[in-house]
Amino acid sequence: MAVAETLKRSAKVVRSAAWLGWQLESNWADPAIFAIITVIRPLASLLIIIFMFRFALGASASPDLLNFFFIGNTVYLFVYNVLFGISQVIFEDREHYEVIKYIYISPVNWYLYFIGRGFARFIIAGVSCAVSIVAGLVFLPLKFNMTAAAVPVFAVSFLLGIVSIFFMGIIMCALTLVMARHGNMMSESISGIFFILCGIIYPISALPAWLQKISTAIPISYWLEISRRLILGTQQTIDAAWHGVSTADLVYRLGFSTAVLFAFSVVFFYYMSMLARAKGIIDRTTSY
């Protein structure tokens, strides 16, 4: 009974935090109106991709390169939105709304609260991803050859990838507890690093050899390569950095790294929380 009650309470914290995050992201707008905006936004980004491949690259824009680039950018929507969404919670609650001290002393699990706040950005990214995929199939020569046998593997890898991003967001959130307002640039900087290193817009094999070693150790890189293989229905993509590495091995690496991120995020978050409390800076505002 105690375990069931704890799980029920935890779920309530996550659900309430997710509802609050959604209201803040939509600026308390009507759900129907915000849904229209959420659908239009990725379509505008898709027009940029169409322009790049149809006009800027011209004949050099091969279908394989288009599929690689398109799927990478689509999956990256989750990376940017979740990382930025969770890390920004500290600045919103501490600097803008100045309510973080009330949340801190309330009888809720602070770790789960930030996880819940990230769900709003996750939903927005999910809608944007779905719209982009459908538009890519309609307006672009996007190849979609996922087999029925690949669906369970894709579901597992997708879940592991999303969970790992949430844990990374918690780690960044913990760092912002002891940083001033300009720390909000950290999430954008780290997202930009992932954008360059994880094979979003070009293969990892195009990077220098020493950078490839770093790139192939980042969980996001595993997730992207798995997603591309399963969506395209192929054993390997144009990224030579992963040639010789099986999809099962990539899933195993992603699962292991996700478990490590979870353990580290829990320890690091509570350590930084205690450090911020000891320094008396949990509800500190920088006033600029």
Side-chain angles (χ1 to χ4, degrees), residues 133-183:
I133 291 293
V134 172
L137 291 171
V138 174
F139 300 108
L140 296 174
L142 177 63
K143 181 181 178 183
F144 191 92
N145 290 328
M146 183 183 296
T147 63
V151 173
V153 181
F154 180 81
V156 171
S157 64
F158 181 82
L159 178 62
L160 289 173
I162 290 297
V163 170
S164 67
I165 297 301
F166 269 89
F167 294 151
M168 290 182 188
I170 289 294
I171 294 171
M172 294 171 58
C173 182
L175 285 172
T176 58
L177 279 172
V178 294
M179 299 177 69
R181 185 179 298 182
H182 56 262

Side-chain angles (χ1 to χ4, degrees), residues 16-267:
S16 299
W19 174 86
L20 176 61
W22 176 262
Q23 296 298 332
L24 293 174
E25 289 295 333
S26 63
N27 197 24
W28 308 92
D30 182 86
I33 296 176
F34 186 67
I36 295 174
I37 297 174
T38 304
V39 170
I40 293 176
R41 187 182 302 166
L43 291 178
S45 300
L46 187 65
L47 289 175
I48 299 176
I49 297 177
I50 294 175
F51 177 83
M52 291 174 61
F53 279 87
R54 291 293 176 86
F55 300 100
L57 294 181
S60 63
S62 65
D64 289 339
L65 180 60
L66 169 62
N67 289 318
F68 185 93
F69 180 87
F70 187 88
I71 295 174
N73 274 270
T74 303
V75 176
Y76 180 76
L77 290 171
F78 289 103
V79 178
Y80 175 78
N81 278 278
V82 174
L83 284 181
F84 187 79
I86 295 180
S87 62
Q88 281 294 107
V89 172
I90 293 293
F91 300 111
E92 290 179 354
D93 290 356
R94 184 180 67 192
E95 306 279 353
H96 185 64
Y97 299 107
E98 299 186 8
V99 296
I100 195 168
K101 57 185 176 182
Y102 305 113
I103 298 173
Y104 182 78
I105 64 176
S106 63
V108 299
N109 186 304
W110 219 17
Y111 184 98
L112 293 177
Y113 168 77
F114 290 117
I115 290 289
R117 286 292 298 270
F119 265 100
R121 283 295 189 113
F122 166 73
I123 294 173
I124 293 173
V127 173
S128 299
C129 180
V131 171
S132 297
I133 291 293
V134 172
L137 291 171
V138 174
F139 300 108
L140 296 174
L142 177 63
K143 181 181 178 183
F144 191 92
N145 290 328
M146 183 183 296
T147 63
V151 173
V153 181
F154 180 81
V156 171
S157 64
F158 181 82
L159 178 62
L160 289 173
I162 290 297
V163 170
S164 67
I165 297 301
F166 269 89
F167 294 151
M168 290 182 188
I170 289 294
I171 294 171
M172 294 171 58
C173 182
L175 285 172
T176 58
L177 279 172
V178 294
M179 299 177 69
R181 185 179 298 182
H182 56 262
N184 60 1
M185 294 183 293
M186 176 187 64
S187 59
E188 295 185 356
S189 300
I190 294 179
S191 297
I193 292 173
F194 288 156
F195 189 80
I196 295 173
L197 295 183
C198 295
I200 309 295
I201 56 176
Y202 47 76
I204 294 176
S205 55
L207 296 172
W210 64 275
L211 266 181
Q212 291 185 36
K213 296 180 179 179
I214 299 175
S215 299
T216 53
I218 302 175
I220 298 172
S221 301
Y222 309 146
W223 183 25
L224 287 171
E225 179 65 13
I226 295 169
S227 299
R228 288 186 175 113
R229 290 184 181 186
L230 297 179
I231 291 175
L232 299 177
T234 181
Q235 296 297 319
Q236 62 184 27
T237 64
I238 62 174
D239 194 345
W242 299 113
H243 290 180
V245 181
S246 66
T247 302
D249 189 25
L250 287 171
V251 174
Y252 170 78
R253 295 185 189 185
L254 179 59
F256 178 78
S257 58
T258 301
V260 172
L261 281 172
F262 168 67
F264 181 76
S265 68
V266 171
V267 174

